Amino acid sequence: MTFTTTLLASVARLALPFAMIAGAASPALAAPEDAGATASADADAGLTEILVTAQKRSENLQETPIAISVIGSAGLENRHTTSLLDLGDGAIPSLRIAPFFSRPSALIMNVRGVGVLSDSNQPARDQGVGVYVDGVYLGRAQGLGTALFDVESIEVLKGPQGTLFGRNTEGGAVSIVTKRPSGTFQYNGTVGIGNFGAYKGEAHVDLPAFAGISLKFDGVIAHRGGTVKNPLAGAWDFAAYDKRGVHVEALWQPAPDFSADISYDRSYDATSTLYYQLIAPGTGLPATATAPAIAANVLAAIGPVQSTRADRAVVGSPEQPGIGKTQGVRLGLDWKVAPALTLKSITAYRDLTQSQFDNGNAAPGLQQPATAANPTASFVGFAFSRYSLAKFEQNQFSQELQAIGELPQVKFAFGGLYYREDVKDNAQTANTNQFTDAAGTAYVLRPIDIKALPFDRASHVVTTSLGLYGQATWTPAVLNESLHLTAGARWSHDKKDGQLLVVNGAAPVLPVNGVNVVGPIALKASWSRVDPMVNVAFDVSRDIHLYGKWSTGYKSGGANSRSLSYAAFNPETVSMFEIGAKTEFWQHKARLNLAAYTGRYKDIQLDFSGLYEDVINGVRVATTRTTTNTVNAPGTGKLKGVEAELTLAPIDGLTLTASYAYNSVKIPATVNPFPQAGGVFITVPVPIYQVYTPEHSASVALDYALPMHGFDVRFHLDGNYDSGYYANYTDVTYDPVTRAVRYAQPKGEAGLVFNGRLAIANIALGDNRARLTVAAWARNLFNEQHLFYKSGTPQAGISGFFNEPRTFGLEASIRL
C-alpha cells in the first residue's frame, strides 16, 4: 500500500545513521522498561513482558485473550504527550481522539469506529468508549483534556467490554493506570520550554513509608500560546492552552494481606478554540436556493481566503479561554481474605465545571450577508462572528465491589457497580462583529454583556446506573491445560430523569392533544439489558496463543437538549465476533499480535439538524433557529476490521514497532426527519457516513538507546498515518424533486505526521544517585498539514480545521 510504503521508507531514511552507529557500537544497555514495549530488555530476555489489568487482575498481555494496545510512560514521554488529545495523531491506530468541533475542552473518542458522540455538550447523552482512571469511570467528555499525572500505562481494550466494564463501552475502554506510592524516597522533576511560548514543569515525589503509610505527591503545569494569531489586541490567540494540576495519594498497608489507597486530584484546564478556516469561497447557489451565497467583495476587502494552514486569522474577534476545573477523591480497599480470594472496593466522587467560549468561525460567517436572490444586499449593520458560550456542570459518585479469585482449574471475577451523576448545561450565543459600510469593507466590535445574554438552551439530568457482573475461565485438565473456556454476563439498568428548560432561546413548547403547552419538558426513561461474553482460547505453545471471542456492549439511551421535543431515544448496541493470535518468536525478540472482527451495529444514534420538526399529533413547532433531533437508525449496521501490531528487538537497545488497523462501519440509510430545500419532506432514506473513523490507519516507531561513557543517548521517531474521515453523518442536502444528492459530504484529508525525541540520559550528578536527562523533542516534525475536519459545499464554501503545526522544545529532568 502506498501510505505504508511511504511511512516505512521515511522512517528507514531517518533511522539509517542511527542503525549504522548501532552496528558498530559495543553491546548496549537496555532502555528503561516500559509498558508500551518501546525497548528490549537484554539480548537473552528479549522483549519486556507487558502486564495488563483488562480482566480485573494483573496478567501478561500475550496470555490475555483480548485485543489490547498499551502505551507506557516512556512511550508517552517520547511522544511529548501532555493530555489524551495528543494521542489523536494515531499512536494507537484503532483509537481515534478528536476535539468536539473546535473545542479541546471536550473530546470525541471511538474505538474501531464505534462509540462516537459527535455532540459532546449533551447532559443526557453518553459516549460509547468508557474512560477509566485507576478503575474509576469518568462519565463526561468534558475534563478528559486535562494534563495527565504520573501515568504508568494507558490500556486500550478494543471491542465491546460490556461484561466487565458495563455501560458505554460498546466500542471499547481506555484504562489509565497511574503510578502508586513506592514507599521509598524518589524524586522526578522536569522543566521545559518550546515554541509558541510554551513551557512545562512536573514534580513527582515519593516519601519513605512510615507506620505502614506511603505518600506520593504529583504536580504538573503546561502552557502554550496560540498557534494562530488573533488580530484583535488583548484577545486570546487560537489553540492555546494553560493546564495545571496536583495529585496526592496515600497507601496504607497495615498488614501483608490488606491495603487502603486514598487519592485526591485537582486540575485546571484553560483552552482557546481551534481556528475554523474558510478554505475555499462558495461559487454561489442556484437562484431558487434559499441558502446564503458568498460575498466575495467582503473577503477581498478584509483578507484573502486561506487555503493552507493559517498562522493569523482573517478577522479579529473576541476570544477567551474555556476553563475546566475538575477534582475528585478515590478510596481503594484491597483485602486478600484467602490465598485464592481477593475482595476489592473502589469508591469515588468527582465533580467538574467547564465553560466554553468559541469564536473561531468569523471567516466562514462572512458568506452570509448576500444571497443568490439579492447579491447586492447592503452590509450595513450585518453582524457576524458567532460567539458560542456554553457552561457544563457535573458531579458523580460511584461504588464498585469486586471478588477476584481462583479455584482448581477456574479463575473468576464477580462484582457490582452503583453510579450516579448530576449534570447541568446552558448555552448562549451572540455575534461579536458588525459591518459599518454597505460594501462590507470595515467592521467594529459590538458591545455585548455576556451576563445579560439570554440562555439559548438549558437542561438538567440525573442518571442512575446499576450493574452486576460475573466472569469465569475454566482450564480443563486435558491437552496439557492449553484450552481455556471463558463465559460471563452483566446485567445493567440505566435510569435518566431530567428536564429541558430552555431551547432556542425560549421555554419549550410541547403539543399535547393538539394544544401547545409551554414549559419544561420532562425526561423519564430507563433501560435494562444483559451483555454476555464467550471466549475460547488455546495455547499452541508457550509463545503462540489463539482465541475466539463473542461479546456485546451498548451505549445508553437519552435525549437531545437541542431538540424541541426532547424525545427519548433508545440505547445503541454492538454484537461482535473476534478472532486473534498473540505470538512471540525469534528468541523473544519479535512479537506479532493479530485480530480480525465482524459485528452488528443496531439502533445507532444519529443526529439530524433543520429549522423545524414535526412533533406529536401533527402539530409543527416552528423556529427560525436550527434544532437537532437524535433518532435510532433502522435496520442493522455492519462492522468489520483487521488489526496488527509488530514489535522487533533485533539488536540490543534497538526496538522497532509497527501497527495497522482497517476499520469499516456501514450504517443503514435513514430518513431525515427535517424538510429539505423548499420545505419538502423527503421520505426516502438518505445514506449515512460514519464520522471520526478513518478506514485505514497505521503507526510505526523506532527507539534506540546507545550507552556512552557516563551517559546514554536515546533516540525516538514515530510516524502516524490515517486515510481521513467524515465529520458529518449525511450529505448536505437533497433535491426535493429528483431526490438526488446535490452536494456530497466532504471528507477530511489523509495525514502523515512524525514525532521525534533525542535525549542525553542518565548523566550522573553529585554522589552518582541523581541522574540528569536533557532532551530535544518535536511534534509534527516535518510540519505536515492536512484538513482533519472538513465541512461545507463548493457552492456555499468549504471550511475546516487543520492539524497543529510543528511544535518543538527542550526539556531537562532530574531523578533521585
Side-chain angles (χ1 to χ4, degrees), residues 533-579:
M533 185 276 293
V534 177
N535 193 312
V536 179
F538 186 74
D539 304 327
V540 178
S541 68
R542 187 186 71 168
D543 298 325
I544 301 177
H545 309 276
L546 308 178
Y547 70 91
K549 177 187 176 186
W550 171 65
S551 60
T552 65
Y554 77 101
K555 179 167 71 174
S556 179
N560 194 318
S561 62
R562 299 180 191 268
S563 167
L564 296 180
S565 63
Y566 204 48
F569 51 82
N570 289 321
E572 65 177 39
T573 64
V574 169
S575 174
M576 185 174 289
F577 293 88
E578 176 183 316
I579 58 173

Side-chain angles (χ1 to χ4, degrees), residues 205-237:
V205 180
D206 279 71
L207 296 182
F210 62 95
I213 300 175
S214 303
L215 295 176
K216 186 174 188 292
F217 301 88
D218 303 295
V220 60
I221 183 170
H223 170 87
R224 190 189 70 190
T227 60
V228 178
K229 180 68 176 177
N230 188 344
L232 180 63
W236 269 54
D237 294 332

Side-chain angles (χ1 to χ4, degrees), residues 578-665:
E578 176 183 316
I579 58 173
K582 298 191 173 186
T583 68
E584 287 189 352
F585 51 95
W586 194 17
Q587 298 178 325
H588 294 277
K589 295 180 180 179
R591 178 181 293 146
L592 175 63
N593 293 342
L594 303 170
Y597 66 89
T598 182
R600 295 178 299 170
Y601 201 6
K602 299 185 68 175
D603 297 318
I604 305 167
Q605 297 166 7
L606 301 177
D607 291 346
F608 290 93
S609 296
L611 292 181
Y612 53 84
E613 60 181 293
D614 271 352
V615 292
I616 61 173
N617 297 321
V619 177
R620 177 177 296 167
V621 178
T623 175
T624 58
R625 301 290 300 278
T626 298
T627 184
T628 302
N629 268 3
T630 300
V631 301
N632 294 103
T636 300
K638 297 180 180 180
L639 306 168
K640 63 180 179 180
V642 176
E643 297 159 336
E645 294 186 351
L646 174 66
T647 305
L648 300 173
I651 61 174
D652 292 350
L654 176 64
T655 301
L656 306 173
T657 61
S659 55
Y660 165 79
Y662 164 73
N663 300 124
S664 173
V665 181

Side-chain angles (χ1 to χ4, degrees), residues 196-284:
F196 297 109
Y199 59 84
K200 68 171 290 185
E202 292 185 39
H204 310 285
V205 180
D206 279 71
L207 296 182
F210 62 95
I213 300 175
S214 303
L215 295 176
K216 186 174 188 292
F217 301 88
D218 303 295
V220 60
I221 183 170
H223 170 87
R224 190 189 70 190
T227 60
V228 178
K229 180 68 176 177
N230 188 344
L232 180 63
W236 269 54
D237 294 332
F238 299 100
Y241 63 73
D242 189 5
K243 304 174 186 286
R244 55 183 181 267
V246 294
H247 174 259
V248 181
E249 186 170 359
L251 176 62
W252 179 43
Q253 295 177 296
D257 295 331
F258 178 82
S259 67
D261 183 3
I262 187 168
S263 63
Y264 171 79
D265 66 88
R266 186 181 184 94
S267 295
Y268 173 93
D269 182 24
T271 57
S272 61
T273 54
L274 307 186
Y275 177 55
Y276 194 48
Q277 287 188 221
L278 178 62
I279 308 303
T283 58

Side-chain angles (χ1 to χ4, degrees), residues 344-399:
K344 294 185 177 182
S345 169
I346 302 175
T347 308
Y349 173 83
R350 302 194 62 80
D351 64 54
L352 72 85
T353 60
Q354 177 71 61
S355 63
Q356 299 175 355
F357 296 87
D358 182 0
N359 200 2
N361 63 350
L366 293 175
Q367 300 184 101
Q368 297 182 16
T371 67
N374 184 22
T376 60
S378 171
F379 291 90
V380 173
F382 175 77
F384 64 98
S385 194
R386 181 176 180 269
Y387 210 175
S388 177
L389 321 173
K391 187 175 182 181
F392 214 85
E393 297 180 2
Q394 184 249 17
N395 64 74
Q396 65 174 68
F397 172 81
S398 60
Q399 172 64 62

